[in-house]
Amino acid sequence: MDAVLYVCHGSRVKEGADQAVAFIERCKKNLDVPIQEVCFLELASPTIEQGFEACIEQGATRIAIVPLLLLTAAHAKHDIPEEIHKVYERYPQVEVLYGEPFGVDERIVDILVERIKETNVDKHEDSMVLLVGRGSSDPAVKKDFNEIAQLLKGKGAFKEVSTCYLAAASPNLKEGLHLAKRTSYKQVFVLPYLLFTGILMNEIKEELEQLSTDAQQFILANYLGYHDGLAHILSHQVKTLLSSKGNQYDVYRYA
């Protein structure tokens, strides 16, 4: 019997975890899979081990494990596979399929354009975007994030889209805002590339409080969030994974 185990990141802020669960509940309706469970990598429960065992207890013989992450970094490559391996060793008869994060997808860029429009600020022809990512020491993340920035530049018709990160990569948030402040752009749309609210969103808001002047306006857009468009992408990913010829060893492909 097939099962899907959605692995969310987790957050110290309860609202962040609640948002993830609500999103998964919406996604479940798009899939004809008898067993669907949600779990968290860290900072919230149930854990990956608990989620995996919940699938087994309901009779799962094949589990598609889907990381609910924006980009492929250490969590997707190492942390989640390590946790899966710990519990999988107890159930070697179960087939495990391991999916991928959302990655670079033009449909997500369309959501970013929508988030900017939702600020209800008339876009000046002399405007730029500062795209704020979570950050990672993995160089592949920076490469993918820069590709997303270039797609946003084209789709949103901006003269410039620059990037910065909240952790583990440079420029950091303060540096990114400082660089934007030094430009001649009259509008700077600050766009958080984050799935959920939490401490990181609060950090961005605090940094922006004193930046706007008569000559230059800083506008904070809403974070990417669990948009309906992401639900469609995720459903397609799950269907593709379950129809693949993958096997239990897929979980080790990033090792």
Side-chain angles (χ1 to χ4, degrees):
M1 186 183 299
D2 283 343
V4 182
L5 180 60
Y6 304 92
V7 184
C8 305
H9 183 279
S11 172
R12 291 183 181 88
V13 177
K14 185 178 181 297
E15 185 182 353
D18 290 345
Q19 287 176 352
V21 172
F23 174 71
I24 296 304
E25 289 302 319
R26 282 158 45 204
C27 293
K28 286 180 180 180
K29 299 173 184 177
N30 299 328
L31 293 164
D32 185 20
V33 181
I35 304 168
Q36 298 186 63
E37 294 289 334
V38 60
C39 64
F40 296 89
L41 173 60
E42 57 185 8
L43 305 174
S45 61
T47 64
I48 292 174
E49 179 180 11
Q50 291 168 334
F52 194 103
E53 291 184 336
C55 293
I56 297 294
E57 289 169 3
Q58 295 172 73
T61 55
R62 186 171 69 147
I63 304 176
I65 300 178
V66 184
L68 227 72
L69 303 170
L70 288 172
L71 297 171
T72 303
H75 283 329
K77 292 180 179 180
H78 306 296
D79 299 337
I80 294 175
E82 286 173 5
E83 291 300 313
I84 295 169
H85 180 55
K86 291 176 186 176
V87 66
Y88 167 73
E89 286 184 317
R90 302 203 299 273
Y91 306 98
Q93 76 280 7
V94 177
E95 185 178 358
V96 173
L97 307 173
Y98 187 49
E100 297 181 349
F102 289 109
V104 179
D105 192 309
E106 288 200 20
R107 292 170 293 180
I108 296 179
V109 178
D110 290 334
I111 299 172
L112 296 177
V113 173
E114 184 178 326
R115 291 293 184 240
I116 291 173
K117 290 179 180 177
E118 287 171 353
T119 63
N120 292 321
V121 175
D122 291 333
K123 176 174 163 287
H124 196 279
E125 62 178 14
D126 190 17
S127 61
M128 66 167 286
V129 174
L130 178 62
L131 190 62
V132 185
R134 177 179 290 274
S136 169
S137 57
D138 189 328
V141 169
K142 201 164 188 177
K143 176 180 176 295
D144 289 346
F145 202 54
N146 286 333
E147 185 176 345
I148 291 167
Q150 288 305 305
L151 288 170
L152 177 59
K153 181 179 179 180
K155 282 181 173 283
F158 287 97
K159 290 184 178 179
E160 181 179 345
V161 177
S162 61
T163 60
C164 68
Y165 303 89
L166 291 161
S170 61
N172 61 34
L173 176 61
K174 287 186 178 181
E175 291 167 340
L177 290 170
H178 179 67
L179 291 170
K181 187 74 174 173
R182 292 175 58 185
T183 69
S184 59
Y185 292 106
K186 294 180 179 179
Q187 287 179 325
V188 179
F189 288 92
V190 180
L191 181 54
Y193 198 74
L194 302 172
L195 273 178
F196 51 85
T197 189
I199 293 172
L200 297 180
M201 272 301 293
N202 293 335
E203 182 181 338
I204 295 170
K205 290 175 182 176
E206 288 175 5
E207 291 293 336
L208 280 179
E209 281 180 356
Q210 307 299 325
L211 284 180
S212 288
T213 64
D214 291 339
Q216 189 180 45
Q217 185 182 18
F218 280 77
I219 306 111
L220 178 61
N222 199 7
Y223 54 95
L224 179 66
Y226 294 108
H227 191 279
D228 284 343
L230 284 182
H232 293 305
I233 296 171
L234 181 64
S235 299
H236 176 74
Q237 287 178 331
V238 172
K239 290 174 184 176
T240 301
L241 188 60
L242 287 172
S243 65
S244 71
K245 297 183 183 298
N247 57 53
Q248 63 255 38
Y249 300 108
D250 281 356
V251 75
Y252 301 112
R253 68 175 151 186
Y254 288 124

